[in-house]
Amino acid sequence: VQLQASGGGSVQAGDSLSLSCVLSARTFSRYDMGWFRLAPGKEREFVAAINSYSTYYADSVKGRFTISRDNAKNTVYLQMNNLKPEDTAAYYCAAVLWSGTNLDDPLKYSYWGQGTLVTVSS
């Protein structure tokens, strides 16, 4: 199983950016998917997660970020609106087979993609 993330870039505060992550597995729909981020000097932070019946968000991104998935394309998306400088980080997608709960815990995830860098300037 491999994860390939894309879509990072440099934007201004208030702009939008969309990240994508493709999972190379034949049963994508069985995987719970998450996004985490790592900023310089900070610990890895949960951003958002999605399973077959719900979505979950960190308080810091709630109302600004939207996670979604397209099972036909084996892809999970993270739409980021109204970006702030504090959103600057490397963003990582992660996958776990049917975890169900505690999707904000990075230890739950079995597979990780490479990071894609998001830089937001003021």
Side-chain angles (χ1 to χ4, degrees):
V1 174
Q2 291 185 329
L3 293 161
Q4 181 69 42
S6 61
S10 297
V11 297
Q12 297 286 323
D15 286 350
S16 298
L17 207 57
S18 181
L19 306 182
S20 300
C21 178
V22 179
L23 176 72
S24 62
R26 297 176 65 180
T27 56
F28 175 74
S29 62
R30 296 167 63 184
Y31 285 83
D32 298 340
M33 304 295 296
W35 286 98
F36 292 78
R37 64 188 182 187
L38 183 62
K42 295 185 178 180
E43 295 185 353
R44 182 170 47 185
E45 178 187 19
F46 168 74
V47 176
I50 185 169
N51 53 23
S52 59
Y53 50 86
S54 192
T55 56
Y56 309 87
Y57 297 94
D59 289 341
S60 59
V61 306
K62 203 170 293 183
R64 299 188 298 122
F65 291 12
T66 301
I67 189 171
S68 61
R69 64 191 298 159
D70 185 337
N71 290 341
K73 296 183 178 180
N74 281 24
T75 302
V76 62
Y77 304 95
L78 185 68
Q79 176 65 40
M80 305 183 293
N81 297 329
N82 189 22
L83 282 160
K84 303 176 180 181
E86 52 263 41
D87 295 318
T88 295
Y91 283 72
Y92 297 84
C93 58
V96 58
L97 191 63
W98 276 345
S99 175
T101 60
N102 300 116
L103 292 178
D104 59 343
D105 182 358
L107 297 179
K108 280 282 188 175
Y109 293 85
S110 305
Y111 308 101
W112 290 82
Q114 88 291 358
T116 183
L117 186 60
V118 173
T119 303
V120 184
S121 56
S122 57

